[in-house]
Amino acid sequence: MHEASIALSLIDVASEVLRENGAARASALTVRVGQWSSVVPEALTAAFPTCAQGTPLEGARLSVVTVPGVGECPVHGRVTLDVTRGLRCPECGAPTPTLLAGDELELDEIELAEPDLEDV
Amino acid sequence: MTVANPRIVTVRQNILKANDHTAAENRAAFAAAGVRTINLASSPGAGKTALLERTLRDLAGQVSMAVAVGDLATENDAARLRQHGAQAEQIVTGTICHLDAAMVQAVLPRFDLAGLEVLFLENVGNLVCPSSYDLGEAARAVLISTTEGEDKPLKYPTMFNTADVVVITKMDLADAVGFDRDLCRENIDRARPGVPVIELSSRSGAGLDAWFAFVRGERA
């Protein structure tokens, strides 16, 4: 259970993006979590609102996109891995030692909430 | 009156980039000092500290070694390790279930890195969270003991998937607990195809030569 630590890091990265864009707050953000990243999406979603209190991310809606593991089988090419079977081709069981996708832990998008200048 | 006018910004940034940045600084410091760093991870009680005690004792006078050890509470492990003549510094993580690069960086000034050949980073006993955090180590050793079940590599694939070597500990108890060696090795190979595996017993000393070769950077 390190999703609170992950949520705090996420808030740091997101706050930096807000500063760079001159935005005071975010209304929503999307993160990509690989199935092999050892981060549980539900735990991250649960930890985020508390961690975001008092930050520019407070009240922002968090969406988590789960990214499946992808390996390269010598016979079947790019294959989607089954996390319970390890780094093996789901078709033939050949070892697929390199993870081409599925270890992501990244902030994908932020929806900025900023005052509409025409209405100020 | 202000009206929200949402604007979507594509970011695509690693959430742990601050940790990765600090890990890179650690790695550069280790390289500059010529010290090999080994991150040890396992579930609690797999025998990380016992293996380090044996290593410090057996390689004393041959390899200059020190340990930074992480636990949620107590200085017990550092005290145990110091009995073997090596410097050991405790990192008390509080409620944090893993070491991160900043915790390691904070403790580095206590060591004379240039005078060391090997620095062990004994992680918090946990097979989940430490896998996400690069500490700047040269190599990551993941331990599994014969007493904890052959399917650990399948239950915690990410930890095993980031291992440079997998060490099976407590081999002296293998027969007593009905440890299925072939099944365990098969499961390790599923989680991390081709990873070197070392079987040893810190108590009897069996298999330690292969571990010591890894510690020296001679294999794996």
Side-chain angles (χ1 to χ4, degrees):
Chain A
M1 263 300 288
H2 60 316
E3 280 75 8
S5 296
I6 301 290
L8 292 171
S9 298
L10 167 62
I11 288 160
D12 285 345
V13 174
S15 299
E16 193 182 311
V17 174
L18 291 181
R19 276 196 300 276
E20 286 167 6
N21 285 275
R25 309 190 60 77
S27 48
L29 63 171
T30 307
V31 301
R32 287 159 49 85
V33 173
Q35 277 191 328
W36 293 77
S37 69
S38 76
V39 170
V40 181
E42 292 79 2
L44 181 60
T45 312
F48 179 77
T50 307
C51 294
Q53 277 177 19
T55 79
L57 280 302
E58 184 169 345
R61 192 174 65 251
L62 175 65
S63 308
V64 178
V65 176
T66 303
V67 183
V70 176
E72 176 111 44
C73 171
V75 178
H76 296 94
R78 286 173 71 97
V79 287
T80 301
L81 302 171
D82 175 350
V83 78
T84 61
R85 298 187 58 185
L87 287 177
R88 299 273 169 166
C89 173
E91 304 282 332
C92 65
T96 58
T98 310
L99 212 49
L100 302 177
D103 59 355
E104 296 83 354
L105 187 54
E106 64 182 26
L107 173 57
D108 191 19
E109 287 182 347
I110 296 190
E111 185 183 286
L112 309 179
E114 53 190 343
D116 189 325
L117 293 176
E118 292 172 359
D119 288 343
V120 170
Chain B
M1 176 172 173
T2 59
V3 176
N5 177 23
R7 183 156 63 92
I8 308 278
V9 177
T10 302
V11 183
R12 286 288 166 103
Q13 281 184 14
N14 181 357
I15 291 168
L16 292 178
K17 66 174 187 169
N19 183 76
D20 290 350
H21 178 77
T22 307
E25 290 177 351
N26 290 350
R27 192 164 276 121
F30 298 143
V35 59
R36 173 171 166 79
T37 49
I38 300 172
N39 179 359
L40 281 88
S42 77
S43 50
K48 293 183 296 301
T49 309
L51 178 59
L52 287 179
E53 286 185 282
R54 183 76 197 229
T55 305
L56 297 178
R57 199 164 73 227
D58 287 17
L59 296 184
Q62 301 173 49
V63 180
S64 168
M65 298 167 287
V67 186
V69 53
D71 282 297
L72 270 64
T74 81
E75 292 250 347
N76 293 355
D77 279 3
R80 261 174 77 181
L81 292 161
R82 279 183 204 121
Q83 292 174 356
H84 305 281
Q87 183 183 0
E89 298 292 342
Q90 186 80 43
I91 302 173
V92 178
T93 63
T95 55
I96 309 287
C97 51
H98 54 268
L99 290 179
D100 67 25
M103 294 179 203
V104 170
Q105 189 170 56
V107 82
L108 290 185
R110 294 195 226 159
F111 293 98
D112 171 25
L113 287 184
L116 288 177
E117 288 164 86
V118 176
L119 175 64
F120 295 104
L121 306 173
E122 183 184 340
N123 222 310
V124 179
N126 181 338
L127 278 176
V128 184
C129 314
S131 66
S132 297
Y133 292 87
D134 182 8
L135 306 179
E137 72 267 24
R140 187 175 287 193
V142 177
L143 279 59
I144 172 175
S145 61
T146 55
T147 56
E148 60 188 288
E150 298 86 353
D151 57 352
K152 277 276 167 72
L154 300 182
K155 289 178 174 170
Y156 302 93
T158 311
M159 191 73 250
F160 285 88
N161 180 240
T162 59
D164 294 301
V165 67
V166 175
V167 179
I168 306 177
T169 60
K170 308 187 190 180
M171 284 302 291
D172 54 309
L173 298 178
D175 289 342
V177 297
F179 175 69
D180 187 336
R181 173 180 179 274
D182 291 340
L183 177 61
C184 186
R185 292 186 75 114
E186 185 188 319
N187 289 339
I188 291 168
D189 200 61
R190 276 182 180 274
R192 177 71 152 166
V195 70
V197 178
I198 298 172
E199 298 172 8
L200 55 76
S201 164
S202 300
R203 184 184 288 173
S204 76
L208 284 174
D209 285 350
W211 165 249
F212 293 157
F214 172 78
V215 168
R216 291 183 160 110
E218 292 166 1
R219 58 160 282 179

